[in-house]
Amino acid sequence: MYLTPLVGVYIADSYLGRYKTILYSAVLYLLGITVLFATSFHAATRAHTGLPGLITAIIFLGLGTGGFKPNIDPLLLDQYTEKFQRVKTLKTGERVIVDPQISITNIMYIYFNLALVGCLSGIPTTWLALKVGFWSAFLLPVCVFLVAIVLLVTGGGKYVEAQPEPVLGHAFKAVVIAIRHGGKVDAAKPSALRARYGVSNVPYDDEFVDELKRGLYACRILIPQPIAYLCYIQATNNLVSQAATMETHGLPNDILYNFTLLFGIVNTYVIRAFLLPYLRRKKIPFGPVRRITTGFICGSLGISYAAVVQKIVYSAGPCCDAPLACPESQGGLIPNRVNVMIQLPVYLGLATFEVLVQTASYEYAYTKAPKRLKGVVTAMVILTIAVASALGIAVARAAYGPGLITMYACLGGSFFAATVLFWYFCRNNDKLENDFFALDITVDAARAEKEKGASPGLE
């Protein structure tokens, strides 16, 4: 699910384009859900088709996710074509400045808010699986995805889309040349290669190298993210187990994760509608790097508080540091006397981390990547989560009592270390934000001038 996006974006950026890749991938994903639905009935289970159906569905779901997950954000932002600030007169007669950078940030927050609302589908599907059956839980996403595909087909031909072009190999070639010249990316420019070696058949232009240089510089935001997501994933997984040892008052312990989604929905709206406009009015800079740093701090505080919660659980009866395992728990029926709602600050911190980091990272990937490689850079953001998941296999062995306090404390400390590392590497990026954004305008103008000069009859 996190590795196949690298294939999906290569196909989209190089051959099919984003719209067709998303459409075909959505069909694959629908087939995967349909297989789950078809093999979830008792008759299918008795016929021993459950396991083969699950394996087939996982393949379809993985391929489908790889196609549409990294391409949706770029296609969405492609629809916003403004590049220059302009004055707009509102219906009230008030004149305001439309800033493309601010508009892209708002678009990402609105999209992320809708995505979080969609994630709440876990609540009805869990209820359907419990009360009706697994077939009904799978039928719901089949119907919803079918509607989404119909809407996608209906809008075909109306989307603004970058022309696919196989330039990933050009990027690798430029990077190799830069490495051979001591990391100087400008050395890979065709003009530099012609001047130094007399090379004339370079398959890209100087502007592509300028875009690539910006993208490589911006990719530094990805360096500490695997550590942050490792801590996030381990914490969220273990919070479910932690809740099982506390008094839930009738709530399923695995449904409490939805508080992250609820907090995320509220936080996304509050940040977009109130916090960011307030900071802009006060002229307080809060660019992508500062947003990611703030998200890291909130995540590290949330996980550190989880260690405090675990200490409270271990200090309460009837089982103290052996919850559900002592004779007084009556075979695991009586948890330690701690209200599960003390976990809420943890979910608040993790939700704030997710909102600030993901919106800023995807926005950064789109606005800083070369025009013909935006999907590839978006997939690199997703890849950080795959790296974190792989690292989590090694950390998972520490997730057992009574050492859970130490585990949460170490996760919180590692998260804070990732925050410091991130700020150290990227603290100056926000100062270059306007220059980064303006590069697209300069590149487009230079290419237009070259095309004009190359047109017949203009000399």
Side-chain angles (χ1 to χ4, degrees):
M1 184 175 292
Y2 293 115
L3 294 177
T4 52
L6 295 173
V7 178
V9 295
Y10 176 72
I11 294 172
D13 284 349
S14 302
Y15 301 105
L16 290 181
R18 294 189 185 107
Y19 170 74
K20 288 184 179 179
T21 304
I22 291 172
L23 179 60
Y24 298 156
S25 301
V27 172
L28 288 175
Y29 199 91
L30 177 62
L31 289 174
I33 306 173
T34 304
V35 170
L36 286 176
F37 166 69
T39 56
S40 61
F41 293 94
H42 290 302
T45 305
R46 288 194 295 269
H48 305 290
T49 60
L51 182 58
L54 176 63
I55 296 172
T56 304
I58 289 175
I59 294 173
F60 279 126
L61 294 176
L63 294 175
T65 302
F68 67 74
K69 188 177 180 65
N71 288 307
I72 289 178
D73 293 0
L75 182 64
L76 172 66
L77 293 174
D78 280 345
Q79 310 315 300
Y80 183 76
T81 57
E82 297 270 1
K83 294 183 179 179
F84 300 93
Q85 290 186 351
R86 63 182 176 88
V87 178
K88 178 181 179 180
T89 303
L90 303 179
K91 294 180 179 179
T92 60
E94 180 184 4
R95 302 183 72 191
V96 297
I97 297 176
V98 177
D99 189 325
Q101 290 176 263
I102 295 174
S103 297
I104 288 176
T105 299
N106 285 334
I107 291 170
M108 281 307 307
Y109 273 97
I110 293 171
Y111 167 70
F112 194 72
N113 212 334
L114 293 173
L116 288 174
V117 171
C119 289
L120 289 175
S121 60
I123 297 176
T125 51
T126 301
W127 185 88
L128 286 170
L130 179 65
K131 300 295 183 179
V132 182
F134 284 104
W135 67 268
S136 62
F138 292 126
L139 179 60
L140 177 61
V142 167
C143 296
V144 172
F145 229 84
L146 188 59
V147 172
I149 291 175
V150 171
L151 293 175
L152 188 62
V153 172
T154 303
K158 300 178 182 178
Y159 297 103
V160 176
E161 187 175 5
Q163 189 69 23
E165 187 177 349
V167 297
L168 185 59
H170 302 167
F172 279 122
K173 183 175 182 178
V175 170
V176 170
I177 293 173
I179 293 173
R180 289 175 178 173
H181 290 79
K184 297 178 180 179
V185 182
D186 287 339
K189 288 185 175 181
S191 59
L193 294 174
R194 279 194 299 269
R196 179 173 295 185
Y197 304 110
V199 178
S200 59
N201 59 342
V202 182
Y204 52 82
D205 53 25
D206 284 1
E207 289 72 30
F208 178 76
V209 177
D210 286 332
E211 290 181 294
L212 184 63
K213 183 178 180 181
R214 177 187 62 180
L216 292 173
Y217 187 87
C219 278
R220 295 190 301 173
I221 71 165
L222 302 179
I223 295 174
Q225 290 204 22
I227 302 175
Y229 279 111
L230 166 66
C231 300
Y232 172 83
I233 292 169
Q234 289 301 312
T236 51
N237 288 343
N238 285 284
L239 284 172
V240 176
S241 301
Q242 186 185 72
T245 66
M246 305 162 71
E247 294 178 336
T248 60
H249 303 284
L251 287 173
N253 64 299
D254 57 350
I255 206 172
L256 292 175
Y257 170 74
N258 290 285
F259 279 111
T260 304
L261 301 176
L262 294 173
F263 282 135
I265 292 169
V266 174
N267 285 355
T268 305
Y269 177 76
V270 170
I271 292 170
R272 180 185 68 84
F274 298 103
L275 179 61
L276 294 180
Y278 173 79
L279 293 176
R280 283 193 291 267
R281 286 195 302 269
K282 296 297 182 180
K283 301 187 184 303
I284 299 174
F286 199 52
V289 169
R290 284 175 172 79
R291 277 181 267 148
I292 294 175
T293 304
T294 304
F296 276 22
I297 292 172
C298 292
S300 62
L301 289 175
I303 296 178
S304 298
Y305 176 72
V308 176
V309 173
Q310 192 64 55
K311 175 63 176 177
I312 294 173
V313 171
Y314 282 165
S315 301
C319 295
C320 296
D321 61 356
L324 305 178
C326 66
E328 291 80 1
S329 69
Q330 298 182 11
L333 296 177
I334 300 178
N336 285 9
R337 290 185 291 273
V338 180
N339 194 308
V340 75
M341 291 302 167
I342 69 169
Q343 281 189 331
L344 289 184
V346 184
Y347 287 113
L348 176 60
L350 295 178
T352 307
F353 156 78
E354 192 171 17
V355 170
L356 289 172
V357 172
Q358 291 213 23
T359 53
S361 296
Y362 285 118
E363 173 192 334
Y364 218 66
Y366 179 84
T367 56
K368 307 303 179 292
K371 182 180 296 185
R372 291 165 288 182
L373 290 173
K374 292 188 181 297
V376 172
V377 180
T378 301
M380 295 300 292
V381 176
I382 300 173
L383 183 63
T384 61
I385 304 177
V387 174
S389 299
L391 293 174
I393 297 175
V395 179
R397 296 188 177 184
Y400 296 98
L404 291 174
I405 297 176
T406 303
M407 185 206 70
Y408 282 120
C410 290
L411 289 177
S414 300
F415 213 140
F416 182 75
T419 305
V420 175
L421 186 65
F422 175 81
W423 181 252
Y424 175 78
F425 277 106
C426 305
R427 62 190 183 280
N428 293 321
N429 280 35
D430 280 348
K431 298 177 183 178
L432 303 172
E433 189 67 13
N434 290 332
D435 294 336
F436 281 158
F437 198 84
L439 180 63
D440 286 331
I441 301 172
T442 305
V443 166
D444 288 345
R447 284 178 178 156
E449 189 67 26
K450 288 181 180 179
E451 291 175 3
K452 182 180 178 180
S455 300
L458 294 179
E459 297 183 354

